[in-house]
Amino acid sequence: MASGEKRVEIEKELSFGPVHPALIEPYRIRLFVNDEIVEDCELNINMAYRGIEKLFDGLPVERALLIAERVCGICSHVHAWNAVRVIEGGLKIEVPDRANYIRVITHEMQRIASHLILFGHAFEVVGHETFAMRSFLLRESFMDLISYVGGNRVMPSVPIVGGVRPRADLTESLKRVILERVDEFEEKYKAYVTRIIEDPLVMSRLTGIGFLTKEDAIKFHATGPTGRASGWDYDLRTKMDEYKPFDFNVVTDESCDTKARIVVRALEIFESLKIIRQAVKNLPDGPVVNRSWKPGEMDFTTALLETYRGELMHSYALDSQGKIRNYKIRTPTPTNLAAMEHACVGDHVTEAILTIASCDPCLTCCTRAEVVDSGKSFVLSDLEIVRKYGWRK
């Protein structure tokens, strides 16, 4: 404890997990409480370490990139897309415009599906099973569309180096189906959001808890909708070349509480619908893949992508035989963990799980990393990982 810092006596520690009915993934929450008010919070991950980065090492690039999609079942497309963006940037491989549009369409479809999973989980925590089940039902429209584009609901495997798989090219009939489904979904989704806003019980549970100010969001490296719900106007999509053809708004909220984090994601779905419509209606003609490239030596290269929970980093090098070396992945959750812990402090203990859920953590795909130095090994804390491997390029 630093000199002059106030010492807080903790009355009780409440520990949940790593296996608990309130948690959808294996991790441990330690809440330090006085008179049922949270004085401090600690999230322990590393319960499901898979060593997936090591699996990439030494594999030919196109074979290895199939593994990237398996990092997460909810964000499969973004890992596959960002993995190919690394080599496309490092070897200056040109991607056809039509392929970029199809990548964006799939990306926004999966963003909608991911946000609807969060609503389902959050309303389960609130105890409103009807809203939770309706969210999962709405999500089915986009799981079907992802399957129509890529051939699989969970692992669509749309991006490849230089473009997209030919099977993912959009026919005229599929374009009509996408536009019809988007219109149908939007009508039902508006009714769903209206019903939530008009429910006083649900809104009272979400409002005024889990405060994270803009200054704290930046201090603790919050990213994505978690940062934007604290009034931080930053979305990496505004800086990505792939998104330059599209008109959309960056959704922010100054409320800085749990309700704001739900509202930001709810409004982002409307922006995703807007992007999908623009991409389908203005889909350029031409090829969907550029095969005029050869794997070769590539310096350590990094690609950043705005995914559904925030900023995603993939980074690796290629040796002279075109095989992958030193693959590193940093998902958005490690950058949000410290912000989640801070947002719980000062609230009643019963609100902590809901506050953490509102930040949309995805823990099994962020578990890492162990450092071995002169025979001694130690595991980095979440904040140390961010500081060592970087929060922003």
Side-chain angles (χ1 to χ4, degrees), residues 16-313:
F16 304 84
V19 178
H20 189 277
L23 308 178
I24 59 173
E25 289 185 278
Y27 66 106
R28 186 183 180 209
I29 304 172
R30 299 177 70 196
L31 299 175
F32 303 94
V33 301
N34 280 337
D35 198 20
E36 299 193 1
I37 300 299
V38 178
E39 297 285 355
D40 200 0
C41 173
E42 181 181 292
L43 300 178
N44 299 136
I45 56 174
N46 295 312
M47 308 297 175
Y49 180 65
R50 295 177 292 171
I52 199 163
E53 289 162 326
K54 188 63 180 172
L55 292 176
F56 288 100
D57 223 30
L59 290 178
V61 62
E62 289 189 284
R63 182 180 170 193
L65 296 181
L66 292 173
I67 300 174
E69 192 176 38
R70 271 69 179 170
V71 171
C72 180
I74 300 172
C75 317
S76 53
H77 173 74
V78 294
H79 286 286
W81 186 14
N82 212 31
V84 300
R85 290 176 79 239
V86 174
I87 186 172
E88 288 166 357
L91 297 184
K92 311 296 182 192
I93 300 169
E94 189 173 343
V95 180
D97 289 341
R98 188 177 179 89
N100 274 332
Y101 273 56
I102 294 171
R103 290 176 176 185
V104 168
I105 290 168
T106 312
H107 188 50
E108 295 306 319
M109 286 179 178
Q110 212 171 57
R111 180 185 305 278
I112 293 170
S114 176
H115 284 357
L116 288 169
I117 280 186
L118 166 70
F119 300 156
H121 177 46
F123 292 127
E124 278 184 338
V125 175
V126 169
H128 204 304
E129 291 290 333
T130 301
F131 283 167
M133 292 301 110
R134 284 185 65 182
S135 180
F136 289 124
L137 187 61
L138 284 167
R139 181 173 178 263
E140 284 300 300
S141 296
F142 284 91
M143 297 304 290
D144 285 345
L145 287 178
I146 290 169
S147 173
Y148 297 160
V149 174
N152 188 286
R153 288 160 55 94
V154 179
M155 303 287 171
S157 301
V158 171
I160 57 174
V161 179
V164 299
R165 296 184 190 283
R167 75 175 184 221
D169 196 7
L170 301 189
T171 61
E172 289 301 317
S173 59
L174 182 53
K175 287 164 64 177
R176 284 196 298 275
V177 169
I178 292 172
L179 293 174
E180 288 171 4
R181 291 288 182 92
V182 165
D183 290 343
E184 290 171 7
F185 169 85
E186 188 172 43
E187 187 176 340
K188 294 176 182 175
Y189 181 67
K190 282 179 179 175
Y192 175 65
V193 172
T194 302
R195 178 69 182 84
I196 292 170
I197 292 172
E198 291 176 347
D199 191 303
L201 175 63
V202 170
M203 297 311 291
S204 67
R205 282 295 312 275
L206 301 176
T207 305
I209 61 169
F211 276 105
L212 182 70
T213 65
K214 181 179 179 180
E215 292 73 23
D216 285 337
I218 295 172
K219 174 183 174 183
F220 292 110
H221 310 318
T223 182
T226 300
R228 293 194 284 275
S230 294
W232 188 22
D233 184 9
Y234 182 79
D235 187 326
L236 190 60
R237 287 179 295 175
T238 59
K239 301 181 184 301
M240 291 173 59
D241 290 340
E242 294 92 333
Y243 275 87
K244 285 182 179 175
F246 309 114
D247 176 38
F248 66 98
N249 297 314
V250 175
V251 180
T252 62
D253 194 313
E254 305 286 342
S255 304
C256 306
D257 60 358
T258 295
K259 185 194 73 175
R261 289 187 281 276
I262 301 295
V263 167
V264 163
R265 289 176 171 86
L267 297 179
E268 281 190 353
I269 286 180
F270 290 109
E271 297 302 316
S272 294
L273 295 174
K274 189 192 298 182
I275 294 170
I276 292 171
R277 284 194 180 99
Q278 292 175 65
V280 172
K281 290 178 180 176
N282 302 316
L283 186 67
D285 294 328
V288 294
V289 61
N290 169 18
R291 297 193 185 277
S292 61
W293 64 276
K294 291 182 180 178
E297 190 166 357
M298 181 182 78
D299 289 337
F300 207 72
T301 306
T302 298
L304 299 170
L305 178 65
E306 179 75 22
T307 179
Y308 325 129
R309 296 172 175 81
E311 199 171 272
L312 170 69
M313 182 202 79

Side-chain angles (χ1 to χ4, degrees), residues 352-373:
I353 301 294
L354 181 56
T355 295
I356 294 169
S358 72
C359 296
D360 200 10
C362 189
L363 296 159
T364 52
C365 61
C366 74
T367 298
R368 60 187 50 79
E370 187 170 6
V371 175
V372 179
D373 184 12

